[in-house]
Amino acid sequence: MATITSIINLKGGVGKTTMTIALAHYLAGEHGKRVLVIDLDPQTNATIALVTERRWRERDQAGQTLYQLFKDQLDGTRAFNASEAILPRVSNITGGVPGLDLLPSSIRLHRIQDKITKIADIDTFRGGPVYALREALRGVLPYYDHVLIDCPPNLGIITLNGIAISRYFLIPVVPDILSTLGVPLVLDRMADFALRAQHEIYGLGIVVSRYRPTSRLHKETVANMRRDAIPGIHPPIFATVINEALEVAEAADVEESVHSLRDKFGGGGPHKQFSGLANEYMRYVGG
Ligand SMILES: Nc1ncnc2c1ncn2[C@@H]1O[C@H](COP(=O)(O)OP(=O)(O)OP(=O)(O)O)[C@@H](O)[C@H]1O
Ligand SMILES: [Mg+2]
């Protein structure tokens, strides 16, 4: 059965999408795993980093994005079909990475988010729209080794759909004061959901992202995070650190064809770091 992990932080811009995309590439490309990326964010950043905008628009018009799944919840229809919506062999590395698939998002999700919340039984999480994704994926999950869910920076009903199927969550964090303050909040909300929905979900780890080795603040914050982490209470802080690097930002451009993971994510530093991240991830999930 697939190992399902949500990449989450309630703070925006900490590298959730970037990390999801990179980790998925390395699990598929270096470890030979069958990986599904689920883009739960109406910003559709992960989608647009894995397929061209033109391809996404075609799919969105045809009702083959997550918009359709949630629209079905409102309309009482069942038009969404996961195996049709999933795009196989995505990425711009030599025309697509075998084993790397995407369930695309849609910017139209913004519009229906609030309406879905109104029909959801948020207090008990019993049945209903919180489990729409779980029901839709029932038939396809057995085909994957790993599912990575790119979450938006909120815990709305769409995000909860991802949490409800996840065994683990991973928190990317930029090592500055404001960003690290958000971590206890994520842990608290996950624990609360686990309790109320009777669903076990584990903090797999915290990954330092967009790290600037020349910044005294970043250095001190990481040192403090490692010093203050209480084993068994806090998720482990990954030994791997992802540096801020221009190549990493540029890796989101899917329009230009590249030939290898190293080409895409930037030779040397970023390539080694993401490769290390995937190795560490595999060690923690025992896969
Ligand atoms: N390691 C990195 N080096 C350089 N730029 C990075 C790195 N990681 C992320 N970025 C850039 O920082 C910005 C935010 O990253 P990203 O979109 O991954 O964050 P996010 O947490 O998913 O944001 P949101 O909360 O809006 O979904 C993007 O422009 C991205 O290209
Ligand atoms: Mg994002």
Side-chain angles (χ1 to χ4, degrees):
M1 199 59 177
T3 300
I4 309 179
T5 302
S6 279
I7 291 77
I8 190 159
N9 191 327
L10 301 180
K11 183 143 175 48
V14 295
K16 295 181 287 295
T17 301
T18 305
M19 198 171 287
T20 307
I21 299 295
L23 184 55
H25 268 88
Y26 283 79
L27 290 178
E30 277 193 343
H31 294 263
K33 298 294 179 189
R34 294 167 302 175
V35 183
L36 175 65
V37 172
I38 301 179
D39 184 0
L40 272 191
D41 190 346
Q43 296 182 92
T44 71
N45 293 341
T47 299
I48 294 302
L50 288 171
V51 296
T52 61
E53 197 174 327
R54 190 172 54 81
R55 194 162 173 212
W56 164 71
R57 282 192 193 285
E58 283 165 15
R59 307 293 291 196
D60 195 33
Q61 290 309 316
Q64 289 171 334
T65 63
L66 285 169
Y67 173 72
Q68 188 62 51
L69 171 67
F70 291 105
K71 189 164 181 300
D72 282 347
Q73 300 300 304
L74 289 177
D75 298 350
T77 49
R78 298 180 72 101
F80 180 79
N81 181 315
S83 36
E84 280 170 11
I86 289 171
L87 291 159
R89 286 181 76 120
V90 290
S91 173
N92 58 330
I93 301 179
T94 56
V97 174
L100 178 55
D101 296 358
L102 167 71
L103 181 52
S105 186
S106 168
I107 50 176
R108 293 194 284 166
L109 275 176
H110 270 305
R111 273 195 249 143
I112 55 170
Q113 214 157 206
D114 295 345
K115 288 188 198 152
I116 308 167
T117 308
K118 288 204 185 97
I119 61 165
D121 188 356
I122 292 278
D123 288 333
T124 64
F125 299 109
R126 238 181 276 123
V130 175
Y131 299 104
L133 187 64
R134 185 174 76 185
E135 295 311 312
L137 292 180
R138 217 175 264 285
V140 301
L141 287 182
Y143 294 101
Y144 292 99
D145 301 310
H146 295 277
V147 176
L148 299 179
I149 305 178
D150 184 28
C151 294
N154 64 52
L155 272 179
I157 187 81
I158 293 173
T159 314
L160 292 181
N161 267 264
I163 303 301
I165 61 168
S166 295
R167 180 166 176 77
Y168 300 111
F169 61 93
L170 191 64
I171 311 175
V173 66
V174 178
D176 57 38
I177 286 105
L178 285 180
S179 301
T180 52
L181 276 179
V183 174
L185 182 64
V186 176
L187 298 178
D188 188 59
R189 299 296 296 271
M190 290 299 113
D192 181 55
F193 179 81
L195 194 67
R196 290 204 282 162
Q198 301 275 297
H199 167 75
E200 289 185 46
I201 179 164
Y202 305 97
L204 190 68
I206 296 169
V207 186
V208 173
S209 130
R210 310 188 65 180
Y211 181 71
R212 291 201 305 274
T214 52
S215 156
R216 191 173 54 86
L217 173 66
H218 278 205
K219 231 185 270 174
E220 284 177 7
T221 309
V222 173
N224 292 344
M225 281 166 66
R226 294 201 192 282
R227 188 198 58 206
D228 298 340
I230 306 169
I233 304 247
H234 298 125
I237 297 163
F238 274 50
T240 308
V241 167
I242 308 298
N243 285 5
E244 173 100 8
L246 190 60
E247 302 101 299
V248 176
E250 288 173 350
D253 178 11
V254 82
E255 301 285 343
E256 193 186 325
S257 183
V258 293
H259 299 286
S260 63
L261 289 169
R262 185 182 281 271
D263 272 358
K264 183 169 176 67
F265 290 96
H271 173 66
K272 269 207 205 99
Q273 287 166 3
F274 284 129
S275 179
L277 176 70
N279 291 340
E280 201 171 349
Y281 180 87
M282 290 292 285
R283 250 199 338 272
Y284 291 163
V285 300

